[in-house]
Amino acid sequence: MYLDMARPLSNAKRNAILATATSAIAASGLAASTKAIARDAGVGEGTLFVYFPTKDDLFCELYLELKADLTRAIAADYPKNEDVQTRLKHLWDHFVGWGLKNPEKRDALRRLAVSEKVSQVKDHAEDETCASIASMIEADLSSGLLRVQPIEFLSGTIQALGDMVTEMIARDRTKADEYLNLGWKTLWGAISAR
Amino acid sequence: MYLDMARPLSNAKRNAILATATSAIAASGLAASTKAIARDAGVGEGTLFVYFPTKDDLFCELYLELKADLTRAIAADYPKNEDVQTRLKHLWDHFVGWGLKNPEKRDALRRLAVSEKVSQVKDHAEDETCASIASMIEADLSSGLLRVQPIEFLSGTIQALGDMVTEMIARDRTKADEYLNLGWKTLWGAISAR
Amino acid sequence: MYLDMARPLSNAKRNAILATATSAIAASGLAASTKAIARDAGVGEGTLFVYFPTKDDLFCELYLELKADLTRAIAADYPKNEDVQTRLKHLWDHFVGWGLKNPEKRDALRRLAVSEKVSQVKDHAEDETCASIASMIEADLSSGLLRVQPIEFLSGTIQALGDMVTEMIARDRTKADEYLNLGWKTLWGAISAR
Amino acid sequence: MYLDMARPLSNAKRNAILATATSAIAASGLAASTKAIARDAGVGEGTLFVYFPTKDDLFCELYLELKADLTRAIAADYPKNEDVQTRLKHLWDHFVGWGLKNPEKRDALRRLAVSEKVSQVKDHAEDETCASIASMIEADLSSGLLRVQPIEFLSGTIQALGDMVTEMIARDRTKADEYLNLGWKTLWGAISAR
DNA sequence: CATGAATGAGCATTCATTCAT
DNA sequence: CATGAATGAATGCTCATTCAT
C-alpha cells in the first residue's frame, strides 16, 4: 500500500505541533514563534513547514481543530430524549466545562478568534458549531418554550454567556459552582419564552 | 491617576498617535508597527516614544482610553430618574450603539483585550466600567425586579450580550433593528428576576 | 570521459533532469531549486541526488552538456571541402542559429558560465569548443587569408561576436536577417588578414 | 538647512555598502549575503536596508553605478579632435584598461548582467553607454571609414570584443600587450569599412 | 522637544542534502 | 533504485528602541 512512499506523514507529529502551538499561543499570543513551537513539539524547524505551509495556515488549522474540539465536547453524551431545559443545561455545563478543563485551548481559541488571518475560516467554523447546536435545539424553537429567534442568535447567546462565565470562574475558581448556576439561570432567562 | 506624570507638551500629538493606533490595530492587529502608527499620525518615529515609553505602554494606555470612552458613552444622558427597565434599555442601546458608531474603536478594543500585555491594566479598566454600571444599577438589585447577583456578573452579562449583538449586526447591518430588539429582550430575560 | 563512472540505470531520468534544469535556470537563474527541478522533471526530490551527487555537480554537468551541444551544432554538416570564408560562414550561421533555436539552452549557458561553481570545468569545456574550431580552421591560419593569431583568440572572437549578435536578435527578431548579415561582415573583417 | 533632520543619510555609508557589495559579488556571486555585505561595509545589518530597500534594489543600483563607472572611464580624456582611428583606439584602450584595473568591478558587472533582477534597469544602462559611445563616434559612421551600421551594433561590437580580450588577459597577464594589440586590430577590422 | 538614521535581535521561510521506507 | 519526510543552517527583511543632530 505504501510501497512507493518514502515516509508517510506522521499524524503524531502533526498533532504534537498543534498541541504545542496551543500552549505557545496561550503563553505568548499570536506572536509565538514557529521556532519555539517546533522545538517544543520535538521536531525540526523545517518540519513544521512540511505539515503546515505557513504560520497562518497552522493557526487557521488550529482554530478549526479547537473549535471542532469544543463542538464535539458539547455534543458528547447529549441527552436527546430529555426535555429542552435538561438538554440546554447539558450544553451549558459542557460548554463551560470544556473551557475550565482546557484552559490553554480556551485561551488559544480566544486569541485566534480575533486574528485577521483566521477570519477566512472563522465563519465556516462558526457555521459548524451553530449547525451542531441547531441539530440539538432547533426543533424546540417552535415549541413555545423558547423565544422565537434565529438559531445563530441562540447559538451566539449560549457562547457569549458561556465565555463570560468561564472567564469569571477562571479568575476565581472558588466561585465555580455559584457562577455556573447563576450563569445557567441567566441563560435560561435569556432564551426562554417567558 | 496620571495627574502627577510629567505631561508632554502637545496633547494634539498624543491624541493623534492614539487615534492612529486605533485604526492601525483595527487594520493589522497588535502587529501594527510603531513606525506605521507614527507615520500615519504625522509624527516622527522617535516622537512616538516621547509620548509613550514603549509600544506596550502605548497599547495599555489606548486600551484604557477606549474602555473609558465606552464607559463614558453608556453613562451619557443616563435617565437616572426612570424605572429600571428604561435605564437598562439605555445602557443596552448605548453600549451597542457605541460599537456600531465606532467600529475601529470596537475592533481595536477586542484585540487589545486579549493581549497579555494589557492584562495588567485590564482589571482596573473593568473595575471602572463595572463601577460605572454599579452606580446606575446596584440599588435595583435589591428591588426584586432583578435577579440577585454580584454586580460584576450583571456587568459581564450586559457586555457579553452587547458584544455578541454588536458583532452580529456589524456583519449584517440590515438586521440592526431586529437584533437590537431581540438582544434587549434577551438581556432583560437574562437579568430580570422572573 | 565518463565511461568508467558507475552509470545509473535510467538515462531517460538523467536527461529529464538536465533538460528541466535548463528551463529552470533560464527562468530563475542559478537559484533554481533542486526541488523544483526534480518536480518538473517528474522525479522525486531525492532521485535527483542519485544521478548528481550535489547541485553543483548537476550544474557542472549541465554546463558541459550545453557546451558540447553547441560545439556539436557548429560541427554538424561542416563543409570541410569549401574555402575558408564558406567554412567560417558555416560556423557563424550555426553558432548564432543554435542560440536562436535554443533560447533556454543559450540563457542557461550564459548564466552557468559566470558561476564560480562551474569555473573548474569551464576551461576544459572551452578547450573542447576551441579544439573543435581548431580542427576546422587552424590550417587556414597560415594561408594568409586570416590574421595570424592564437587559435583560442580566433575562437574567442567568433564566440564573442556570435553571442552579441544572438542577444541582439533575440531582443528584436525582426532584425534577424540584417544583424546576421552585418554580424558576418563584422566577423570576417575582424579575423581576415586584410 | 538640515535643522529638522535627525541625521542625514551618509554618502560614505552608501558608498561603502556599494563597494563592499562589489567585492562580495566578485567573490561569491549573487548569492553574496546582505549580512556579510553589511558586516564588511562596517554598518549594521539593518542599516543596509535603510539605504537600499531590498537586496534586489541594491544589486540594481550597483549595476547602474558600475556601468556608469565604466562609461565614465571610456569618456575620460577623450581626444575628440583626433581622427577616428585614434579616437576608437582610445575607447578600446580605456575599455579594456578599466576591466584590468578594476577586476572586482568587472567581475561583479558580469555577474549582475545575467541576473533576472537587474534586467529591468539593464536596457536603460545600456542606452547610456551606447549614447556615450554614439556621442563620440556617430558622426563618423557616414564618413566612409566605418561600416554603415546601427550605433548600438557598433557599441555592442566594441563591448563584446573588449570583454573577451579583458577576460583573456585577466587569465594570463603576460599576454597583455599582445592581446591588447591583436584585439585592437581585430576591432578595427571588425568595424572599419574595408 | 522632534526627528529619523542606526542597530542587531528575531522572524518566517527556503533549501540542499540525508535517510527511513 | 526511488521516494519524499526530515532537518537545521542560512537568508532577506522587520522592528522596537536609541541617540546624534
Side-chain angles (χ1 to χ4, degrees), chain A residues 110-116 119 122, chain B residues 25-26 30 63 66 98 103-115 122 163 167 171:
Chain A
R110 260 175 70 227
R111 290 165 188 265
L112 288 167
V114 302
S115 158
E116 329 78 73
S119 61
K122 230 183 113 180
Chain B
I25 292 173
L30 304 180
Y63 179 80
L66 290 174
W98 182 85
E104 289 193 332
K105 287 185 179 177
R106 189 183 127 71
D107 198 6
L109 192 53
R110 259 174 72 227
R111 289 165 188 265
L112 287 166
V114 301
S115 160
K122 227 181 117 181
D163 275 338
E167 187 96 348
R171 272 207 287 269

PDB file of all heavy atoms in Angstrom, chain A residues 110-116 119 122, chain B residues 25-26 30 63 66 98 103-115 122 163 167 171:
ATOM      1  N   ARG A 110      -9.541  31.964  22.040  1.00  0.00           N
ATOM      2  CA  ARG A 110      -9.907  33.380  22.188  1.00  0.00           C
ATOM      3  C   ARG A 110      -8.992  34.272  21.361  1.00  0.00           C
ATOM      4  O   ARG A 110      -9.429  35.212  20.698  1.00  0.00           O
ATOM      5  CB  ARG A 110      -9.719  33.813  23.655  1.00  0.00           C
ATOM      6  CG  ARG A 110     -10.959  33.850  24.479  1.00  0.00           C
ATOM      7  CD  ARG A 110     -10.571  34.173  25.895  1.00  0.00           C
ATOM      8  NE  ARG A 110     -10.114  35.522  26.116  1.00  0.00           N
ATOM      9  CZ  ARG A 110      -9.026  35.894  26.786  1.00  0.00           C
ATOM     10  NH1 ARG A 110      -8.240  34.955  27.315  1.00  0.00           N
ATOM     11  NH2 ARG A 110      -8.708  37.142  26.919  1.00  0.00           N
ATOM     12  N   ARG A 111      -7.690  33.978  21.420  1.00  0.00           N
ATOM     13  CA  ARG A 111      -6.731  34.824  20.721  1.00  0.00           C
ATOM     14  C   ARG A 111      -6.811  34.616  19.212  1.00  0.00           C
ATOM     15  O   ARG A 111      -6.735  35.563  18.434  1.00  0.00           O
ATOM     16  CB  ARG A 111      -5.316  34.518  21.207  1.00  0.00           C
ATOM     17  CG  ARG A 111      -5.087  34.980  22.638  1.00  0.00           C
ATOM     18  CD  ARG A 111      -3.833  34.325  23.158  1.00  0.00           C
ATOM     19  NE  ARG A 111      -3.611  34.546  24.566  1.00  0.00           N
ATOM     20  CZ  ARG A 111      -2.846  35.513  25.048  1.00  0.00           C
ATOM     21  NH1 ARG A 111      -2.274  36.358  24.233  1.00  0.00           N
ATOM     22  NH2 ARG A 111      -2.674  35.632  26.347  1.00  0.00           N
ATOM     23  N   LEU A 112      -6.938  33.360  18.827  1.00  0.00           N
ATOM     24  CA  LEU A 112      -7.032  33.083  17.394  1.00  0.00           C
ATOM     25  C   LEU A 112      -8.279  33.731  16.808  1.00  0.00           C
ATOM     26  O   LEU A 112      -8.275  34.200  15.668  1.00  0.00           O
ATOM     27  CB  LEU A 112      -7.065  31.572  17.153  1.00  0.00           C
ATOM     28  CG  LEU A 112      -5.736  30.847  17.390  1.00  0.00           C
ATOM     29  CD1 LEU A 112      -5.959  29.340  17.438  1.00  0.00           C
ATOM     30  CD2 LEU A 112      -4.728  31.199  16.295  1.00  0.00           C
ATOM     31  N   ALA A 113      -9.331  33.775  17.606  1.00  0.00           N
ATOM     32  CA  ALA A 113     -10.611  34.273  17.094  1.00  0.00           C
ATOM     33  C   ALA A 113     -10.546  35.735  16.671  1.00  0.00           C
ATOM     34  O   ALA A 113     -11.328  36.177  15.838  1.00  0.00           O
ATOM     35  CB  ALA A 113     -11.707  34.074  18.136  1.00  0.00           C
ATOM     36  N   VAL A 114      -9.626  36.501  17.264  1.00  0.00           N
ATOM     37  CA  VAL A 114      -9.557  37.921  16.886  1.00  0.00           C
ATOM     38  C   VAL A 114      -8.500  38.215  15.830  1.00  0.00           C
ATOM     39  O   VAL A 114      -8.295  39.375  15.478  1.00  0.00           O
ATOM     40  CB  VAL A 114      -9.296  38.828  18.112  1.00  0.00           C
ATOM     41  CG1 VAL A 114     -10.382  38.642  19.159  1.00  0.00           C
ATOM     42  CG2 VAL A 114      -7.930  38.597  18.700  1.00  0.00           C
ATOM     43  N   SER A 115      -7.852  37.163  15.329  1.00  0.00           N
ATOM     44  CA  SER A 115      -6.811  37.403  14.327  1.00  0.00           C
ATOM     45  C   SER A 115      -7.409  37.616  12.930  1.00  0.00           C
ATOM     46  O   SER A 115      -8.333  36.913  12.532  1.00  0.00           O
ATOM     47  CB  SER A 115      -5.856  36.210  14.314  1.00  0.00           C
ATOM     48  OG  SER A 115      -5.180  36.141  13.089  1.00  0.00           O
ATOM     49  N   GLU A 116      -6.877  38.583  12.211  1.00  0.00           N
ATOM     50  CA  GLU A 116      -7.340  38.797  10.828  1.00  0.00           C
ATOM     51  C   GLU A 116      -7.120  37.536  10.009  1.00  0.00           C
ATOM     52  O   GLU A 116      -7.935  37.203   9.143  1.00  0.00           O
ATOM     53  CB  GLU A 116      -6.566  39.900  10.093  1.00  0.00           C
ATOM     54  CG  GLU A 116      -6.045  41.034  10.916  1.00  0.00           C
ATOM     55  CD  GLU A 116      -4.786  40.630  11.679  1.00  0.00           C
ATOM     56  OE1 GLU A 116      -3.712  40.492  11.089  1.00  0.00           O
ATOM     57  OE2 GLU A 116      -4.943  40.469  12.910  1.00  0.00           O
ATOM     58  N   SER A 119      -9.800  34.912  10.009  1.00  0.00           N
ATOM     59  CA  SER A 119     -11.161  35.360   9.761  1.00  0.00           C
ATOM     60  C   SER A 119     -11.797  34.616   8.587  1.00  0.00           C
ATOM     61  O   SER A 119     -13.008  34.432   8.544  1.00  0.00           O
ATOM     62  CB  SER A 119     -11.196  36.869   9.524  1.00  0.00           C
ATOM     63  OG  SER A 119     -10.424  37.197   8.399  1.00  0.00           O
ATOM     64  N   LYS A 122     -13.154  31.458   9.901  1.00  0.00           N
ATOM     65  CA  LYS A 122     -13.955  31.618  11.122  1.00  0.00           C
ATOM     66  C   LYS A 122     -15.435  31.368  10.864  1.00  0.00           C
ATOM     67  O   LYS A 122     -16.099  30.666  11.629  1.00  0.00           O
ATOM     68  CB  LYS A 122     -13.780  33.039  11.669  1.00  0.00           C
ATOM     69  CG  LYS A 122     -13.444  33.078  13.148  1.00  0.00           C
ATOM     70  CD  LYS A 122     -13.363  34.501  13.623  1.00  0.00           C
ATOM     71  CE  LYS A 122     -14.479  34.805  14.588  1.00  0.00           C
ATOM     72  NZ  LYS A 122     -14.411  36.206  15.056  1.00  0.00           N
TER      73      LYS A 122
ATOM     74  N   ILE B  25      -4.477  49.176  14.631  1.00  0.00           N
ATOM     75  CA  ILE B  25      -4.780  47.896  15.276  1.00  0.00           C
ATOM     76  C   ILE B  25      -6.013  47.273  14.639  1.00  0.00           C
ATOM     77  O   ILE B  25      -6.062  46.062  14.403  1.00  0.00           O
ATOM     78  CB  ILE B  25      -4.968  48.087  16.793  1.00  0.00           C
ATOM     79  CG1 ILE B  25      -3.637  48.461  17.423  1.00  0.00           C
ATOM     80  CG2 ILE B  25      -5.525  46.817  17.423  1.00  0.00           C
ATOM     81  CD1 ILE B  25      -3.732  48.838  18.885  1.00  0.00           C
ATOM     82  N   ALA B  26      -6.995  48.101  14.336  1.00  0.00           N
ATOM     83  CA  ALA B  26      -8.190  47.570  13.667  1.00  0.00           C
ATOM     84  C   ALA B  26      -7.813  46.947  12.331  1.00  0.00           C
ATOM     85  O   ALA B  26      -8.378  45.936  11.918  1.00  0.00           O
ATOM     86  CB  ALA B  26      -9.223  48.677  13.472  1.00  0.00           C
ATOM     87  N   LEU B  30      -2.378  43.532  16.614  1.00  0.00           N
ATOM     88  CA  LEU B  30      -1.363  44.027  17.539  1.00  0.00           C
ATOM     89  C   LEU B  30       0.014  44.076  16.885  1.00  0.00           C
ATOM     90  O   LEU B  30       0.947  44.641  17.446  1.00  0.00           O
ATOM     91  CB  LEU B  30      -1.322  43.143  18.777  1.00  0.00           C
ATOM     92  CG  LEU B  30      -2.682  43.026  19.493  1.00  0.00           C
ATOM     93  CD1 LEU B  30      -2.574  42.124  20.710  1.00  0.00           C
ATOM     94  CD2 LEU B  30      -3.197  44.395  19.880  1.00  0.00           C
ATOM     95  N   TYR B  63      -5.851  51.038  25.457  1.00  0.00           N
ATOM     96  CA  TYR B  63      -6.930  50.189  25.993  1.00  0.00           C
ATOM     97  C   TYR B  63      -7.741  50.951  27.029  1.00  0.00           C
ATOM     98  O   TYR B  63      -8.969  50.956  27.006  1.00  0.00           O
ATOM     99  CB  TYR B  63      -6.331  48.916  26.603  1.00  0.00           C
ATOM    100  CG  TYR B  63      -7.380  48.005  27.183  1.00  0.00           C
ATOM    101  CD1 TYR B  63      -8.120  47.162  26.358  1.00  0.00           C
ATOM    102  CD2 TYR B  63      -7.651  47.999  28.551  1.00  0.00           C
ATOM    103  CE1 TYR B  63      -9.098  46.333  26.885  1.00  0.00           C
ATOM    104  CE2 TYR B  63      -8.629  47.175  29.084  1.00  0.00           C
ATOM    105  CZ  TYR B  63      -9.340  46.342  28.235  1.00  0.00           C
ATOM    106  OH  TYR B  63     -10.314  45.520  28.758  1.00  0.00           O
ATOM    107  N   LEU B  66      -9.899  53.620  25.361  1.00  0.00           N
ATOM    108  CA  LEU B  66     -11.051  53.084  24.638  1.00  0.00           C
ATOM    109  C   LEU B  66     -12.116  52.609  25.612  1.00  0.00           C
ATOM    110  O   LEU B  66     -13.311  52.859  25.444  1.00  0.00           O
ATOM    111  CB  LEU B  66     -10.617  51.931  23.723  1.00  0.00           C
ATOM    112  CG  LEU B  66      -9.766  52.341  22.515  1.00  0.00           C
ATOM    113  CD1 LEU B  66      -9.264  51.111  21.761  1.00  0.00           C
ATOM    114  CD2 LEU B  66     -10.563  53.247  21.576  1.00  0.00           C
ATOM    115  N   TRP B  98     -22.495  52.397  20.652  1.00  0.00           N
ATOM    116  CA  TRP B  98     -21.087  52.817  20.616  1.00  0.00           C
ATOM    117  C   TRP B  98     -20.283  51.937  19.657  1.00  0.00           C
ATOM    118  O   TRP B  98     -19.523  52.421  18.830  1.00  0.00           O
ATOM    119  CB  TRP B  98     -20.474  52.739  22.022  1.00  0.00           C
ATOM    120  CG  TRP B  98     -19.039  53.206  22.083  1.00  0.00           C
ATOM    121  CD1 TRP B  98     -18.593  54.477  22.229  1.00  0.00           C
ATOM    122  CD2 TRP B  98     -17.864  52.377  22.014  1.00  0.00           C
ATOM    123  NE1 TRP B  98     -17.228  54.510  22.247  1.00  0.00           N
ATOM    124  CE2 TRP B  98     -16.750  53.237  22.124  1.00  0.00           C
ATOM    125  CE3 TRP B  98     -17.651  50.995  21.884  1.00  0.00           C
ATOM    126  CZ2 TRP B  98     -15.438  52.758  22.107  1.00  0.00           C
ATOM    127  CZ3 TRP B  98     -16.350  50.529  21.852  1.00  0.00           C
ATOM    128  CH2 TRP B  98     -15.256  51.400  21.966  1.00  0.00           C
ATOM    129  N   PRO B 103     -16.669  51.499  14.801  1.00  0.00           N
ATOM    130  CA  PRO B 103     -16.224  50.123  14.524  1.00  0.00           C
ATOM    131  C   PRO B 103     -14.720  49.925  14.733  1.00  0.00           C
ATOM    132  O   PRO B 103     -14.311  48.863  15.221  1.00  0.00           O
ATOM    133  CB  PRO B 103     -16.607  49.900  13.060  1.00  0.00           C
ATOM    134  CG  PRO B 103     -16.916  51.254  12.501  1.00  0.00           C
ATOM    135  CD  PRO B 103     -17.290  52.148  13.645  1.00  0.00           C
ATOM    136  N   GLU B 104     -13.921  50.919  14.405  1.00  0.00           N
ATOM    137  CA  GLU B 104     -12.482  50.756  14.603  1.00  0.00           C
ATOM    138  C   GLU B 104     -12.150  50.699  16.085  1.00  0.00           C
ATOM    139  O   GLU B 104     -11.341  49.872  16.517  1.00  0.00           O
ATOM    140  CB  GLU B 104     -11.710  51.901  13.945  1.00  0.00           C
ATOM    141  CG  GLU B 104     -11.733  51.836  12.429  1.00  0.00           C
ATOM    142  CD  GLU B 104     -10.707  52.771  11.803  1.00  0.00           C
ATOM    143  OE1 GLU B 104     -10.379  53.801  12.453  1.00  0.00           O
ATOM    144  OE2 GLU B 104     -10.244  52.479  10.689  1.00  0.00           O
ATOM    145  N   LYS B 105     -12.747  51.563  16.851  1.00  0.00           N
ATOM    146  CA  LYS B 105     -12.504  51.534  18.295  1.00  0.00           C
ATOM    147  C   LYS B 105     -12.908  50.186  18.861  1.00  0.00           C
ATOM    148  O   LYS B 105     -12.215  49.581  19.671  1.00  0.00           O
ATOM    149  CB  LYS B 105     -13.291  52.648  18.988  1.00  0.00           C
ATOM    150  CG  LYS B 105     -12.740  54.044  18.761  1.00  0.00           C
ATOM    151  CD  LYS B 105     -13.521  55.064  19.585  1.00  0.00           C
ATOM    152  CE  LYS B 105     -12.956  56.470  19.372  1.00  0.00           C
ATOM    153  NZ  LYS B 105     -13.738  57.488  20.113  1.00  0.00           N
ATOM    154  N   ARG B 106     -14.066  49.711  18.415  1.00  0.00           N
ATOM    155  CA  ARG B 106     -14.554  48.427  18.915  1.00  0.00           C
ATOM    156  C   ARG B 106     -13.609  47.292  18.550  1.00  0.00           C
ATOM    157  O   ARG B 106     -13.272  46.437  19.381  1.00  0.00           O
ATOM    158  CB  ARG B 106     -15.926  48.149  18.313  1.00  0.00           C
ATOM    159  CG  ARG B 106     -16.600  46.959  18.946  1.00  0.00           C
ATOM    160  CD  ARG B 106     -17.930  46.659  18.295  1.00  0.00           C
ATOM    161  NE  ARG B 106     -17.943  45.276  17.894  1.00  0.00           N
ATOM    162  CZ  ARG B 106     -18.022  44.264  18.748  1.00  0.00           C
ATOM    163  NH1 ARG B 106     -18.100  44.508  20.039  1.00  0.00           N
ATOM    164  NH2 ARG B 106     -17.990  43.022  18.334  1.00  0.00           N
ATOM    165  N   ASP B 107     -13.156  47.334  17.321  1.00  0.00           N
ATOM    166  CA  ASP B 107     -12.270  46.279  16.852  1.00  0.00           C
ATOM    167  C   ASP B 107     -10.941  46.329  17.626  1.00  0.00           C
ATOM    168  O   ASP B 107     -10.434  45.296  18.104  1.00  0.00           O
ATOM    169  CB  ASP B 107     -12.027  46.459  15.349  1.00  0.00           C
ATOM    170  CG  ASP B 107     -11.489  45.197  14.708  1.00  0.00           C
ATOM    171  OD1 ASP B 107     -11.419  44.177  15.401  1.00  0.00           O
ATOM    172  OD2 ASP B 107     -11.133  45.239  13.518  1.00  0.00           O
ATOM    173  N   ALA B 108     -10.402  47.521  17.758  1.00  0.00           N
ATOM    174  CA  ALA B 108      -9.142  47.665  18.491  1.00  0.00           C
ATOM    175  C   ALA B 108      -9.305  47.193  19.933  1.00  0.00           C
ATOM    176  O   ALA B 108      -8.439  46.499  20.479  1.00  0.00           O
ATOM    177  CB  ALA B 108      -8.680  49.121  18.453  1.00  0.00           C
ATOM    178  N   LEU B 109     -10.431  47.532  20.517  1.00  0.00           N
ATOM    179  CA  LEU B 109     -10.673  47.139  21.911  1.00  0.00           C
ATOM    180  C   LEU B 109     -10.699  45.616  22.055  1.00  0.00           C
ATOM    181  O   LEU B 109     -10.093  45.047  22.969  1.00  0.00           O
ATOM    182  CB  LEU B 109     -12.010  47.744  22.375  1.00  0.00           C
ATOM    183  CG  LEU B 109     -12.333  47.694  23.861  1.00  0.00           C
ATOM    184  CD1 LEU B 109     -11.219  48.275  24.696  1.00  0.00           C
ATOM    185  CD2 LEU B 109     -13.650  48.409  24.129  1.00  0.00           C
ATOM    186  N   ARG B 110     -11.366  44.967  21.127  1.00  0.00           N
ATOM    187  CA  ARG B 110     -11.440  43.494  21.137  1.00  0.00           C
ATOM    188  C   ARG B 110     -10.056  42.870  21.081  1.00  0.00           C
ATOM    189  O   ARG B 110      -9.757  41.904  21.788  1.00  0.00           O
ATOM    190  CB  ARG B 110     -12.187  43.011  19.885  1.00  0.00           C
ATOM    191  CG  ARG B 110     -13.625  42.627  20.082  1.00  0.00           C
ATOM    192  CD  ARG B 110     -14.232  42.312  18.730  1.00  0.00           C
ATOM    193  NE  ARG B 110     -13.756  41.052  18.164  1.00  0.00           N
ATOM    194  CZ  ARG B 110     -13.342  40.881  16.910  1.00  0.00           C
ATOM    195  NH1 ARG B 110     -13.313  41.915  16.074  1.00  0.00           N
ATOM    196  NH2 ARG B 110     -12.948  39.699  16.487  1.00  0.00           N
ATOM    197  N   ARG B 111      -9.227  43.433  20.216  1.00  0.00           N
ATOM    198  CA  ARG B 111      -7.912  42.836  20.028  1.00  0.00           C
ATOM    199  C   ARG B 111      -7.008  43.125  21.221  1.00  0.00           C
ATOM    200  O   ARG B 111      -6.257  42.271  21.679  1.00  0.00           O
ATOM    201  CB  ARG B 111      -7.271  43.389  18.754  1.00  0.00           C
ATOM    202  CG  ARG B 111      -7.937  42.868  17.500  1.00  0.00           C
ATOM    203  CD  ARG B 111      -7.516  43.718  16.341  1.00  0.00           C
ATOM    204  NE  ARG B 111      -8.230  43.443  15.126  1.00  0.00           N
ATOM    205  CZ  ARG B 111      -7.812  42.624  14.174  1.00  0.00           C
ATOM    206  NH1 ARG B 111      -6.684  41.960  14.339  1.00  0.00           N
ATOM    207  NH2 ARG B 111      -8.518  42.441  13.094  1.00  0.00           N
ATOM    208  N   LEU B 112      -7.095  44.355  21.705  1.00  0.00           N
ATOM    209  CA  LEU B 112      -6.270  44.705  22.865  1.00  0.00           C
ATOM    210  C   LEU B 112      -6.671  43.859  24.069  1.00  0.00           C
ATOM    211  O   LEU B 112      -5.821  43.483  24.889  1.00  0.00           O
ATOM    212  CB  LEU B 112      -6.430  46.193  23.188  1.00  0.00           C
ATOM    213  CG  LEU B 112      -5.749  47.151  22.207  1.00  0.00           C
ATOM    214  CD1 LEU B 112      -6.233  48.580  22.413  1.00  0.00           C
ATOM    215  CD2 LEU B 112      -4.227  47.075  22.348  1.00  0.00           C
ATOM    216  N   ALA B 113      -7.951  43.561  24.164  1.00  0.00           N
ATOM    217  CA  ALA B 113      -8.448  42.856  25.347  1.00  0.00           C
ATOM    218  C   ALA B 113      -7.833  41.467  25.498  1.00  0.00           C
ATOM    219  O   ALA B 113      -7.752  40.945  26.616  1.00  0.00           O
ATOM    220  CB  ALA B 113      -9.967  42.756  25.296  1.00  0.00           C
ATOM    221  N   VAL B 114      -7.407  40.851  24.404  1.00  0.00           N
ATOM    222  CA  VAL B 114      -6.852  39.503  24.523  1.00  0.00           C
ATOM    223  C   VAL B 114      -5.327  39.500  24.597  1.00  0.00           C
ATOM    224  O   VAL B 114      -4.710  38.433  24.627  1.00  0.00           O
ATOM    225  CB  VAL B 114      -7.291  38.582  23.360  1.00  0.00           C
ATOM    226  CG1 VAL B 114      -8.799  38.475  23.303  1.00  0.00           C
ATOM    227  CG2 VAL B 114      -6.717  39.062  22.047  1.00  0.00           C
ATOM    228  N   SER B 115      -4.723  40.685  24.635  1.00  0.00           N
ATOM    229  CA  SER B 115      -3.262  40.734  24.690  1.00  0.00           C
ATOM    230  C   SER B 115      -2.735  40.527  26.107  1.00  0.00           C
ATOM    231  O   SER B 115      -3.279  41.068  27.073  1.00  0.00           O
ATOM    232  CB  SER B 115      -2.788  42.084  24.152  1.00  0.00           C
ATOM    233  OG  SER B 115      -1.494  42.363  24.595  1.00  0.00           O
ATOM    234  N   LYS B 122      -6.069  45.626  32.626  1.00  0.00           N
ATOM    235  CA  LYS B 122      -7.418  45.241  32.243  1.00  0.00           C
ATOM    236  C   LYS B 122      -8.371  45.208  33.434  1.00  0.00           C
ATOM    237  O   LYS B 122      -9.497  45.727  33.359  1.00  0.00           O
ATOM    238  CB  LYS B 122      -7.388  43.852  31.596  1.00  0.00           C
ATOM    239  CG  LYS B 122      -8.183  43.769  30.311  1.00  0.00           C
ATOM    240  CD  LYS B 122      -8.132  42.378  29.757  1.00  0.00           C
ATOM    241  CE  LYS B 122      -9.521  41.787  29.736  1.00  0.00           C
ATOM    242  NZ  LYS B 122      -9.511  40.402  29.220  1.00  0.00           N
ATOM    243  N   ASP B 163     -21.710  42.723  23.233  1.00  0.00           N
ATOM    244  CA  ASP B 163     -20.658  42.416  22.256  1.00  0.00           C
ATOM    245  C   ASP B 163     -21.168  41.496  21.166  1.00  0.00           C
ATOM    246  O   ASP B 163     -20.942  41.729  19.976  1.00  0.00           O
ATOM    247  CB  ASP B 163     -19.468  41.734  22.961  1.00  0.00           C
ATOM    248  CG  ASP B 163     -18.518  42.751  23.557  1.00  0.00           C
ATOM    249  OD1 ASP B 163     -18.527  43.913  23.102  1.00  0.00           O
ATOM    250  OD2 ASP B 163     -17.772  42.398  24.491  1.00  0.00           O
ATOM    251  N   GLU B 167     -21.515  42.534  17.230  1.00  0.00           N
ATOM    252  CA  GLU B 167     -20.805  41.743  16.223  1.00  0.00           C
ATOM    253  C   GLU B 167     -21.752  41.237  15.142  1.00  0.00           C
ATOM    254  O   GLU B 167     -21.461  41.339  13.947  1.00  0.00           O
ATOM    255  CB  GLU B 167     -20.165  40.534  16.933  1.00  0.00           C
ATOM    256  CG  GLU B 167     -19.271  39.716  16.066  1.00  0.00           C
ATOM    257  CD  GLU B 167     -17.810  40.126  16.223  1.00  0.00           C
ATOM    258  OE1 GLU B 167     -17.557  41.185  16.835  1.00  0.00           O
ATOM    259  OE2 GLU B 167     -16.937  39.400  15.723  1.00  0.00           O
ATOM    260  N   ARG B 171     -21.941  42.414  11.093  1.00  0.00           N
ATOM    261  CA  ARG B 171     -21.793  41.506   9.953  1.00  0.00           C
ATOM    262  C   ARG B 171     -22.945  41.656   8.956  1.00  0.00           C
ATOM    263  O   ARG B 171     -22.817  41.279   7.801  1.00  0.00           O
ATOM    264  CB  ARG B 171     -21.716  40.051  10.455  1.00  0.00           C
ATOM    265  CG  ARG B 171     -20.303  39.610  10.791  1.00  0.00           C
ATOM    266  CD  ARG B 171     -20.160  38.111  10.638  1.00  0.00           C
ATOM    267  NE  ARG B 171     -20.834  37.388  11.709  1.00  0.00           N
ATOM    268  CZ  ARG B 171     -20.273  37.025  12.854  1.00  0.00           C
ATOM    269  NH1 ARG B 171     -19.006  37.353  13.097  1.00  0.00           N
ATOM    270  NH2 ARG B 171     -20.949  36.378  13.762  1.00  0.00           N
TER     271      ARG B 171
END
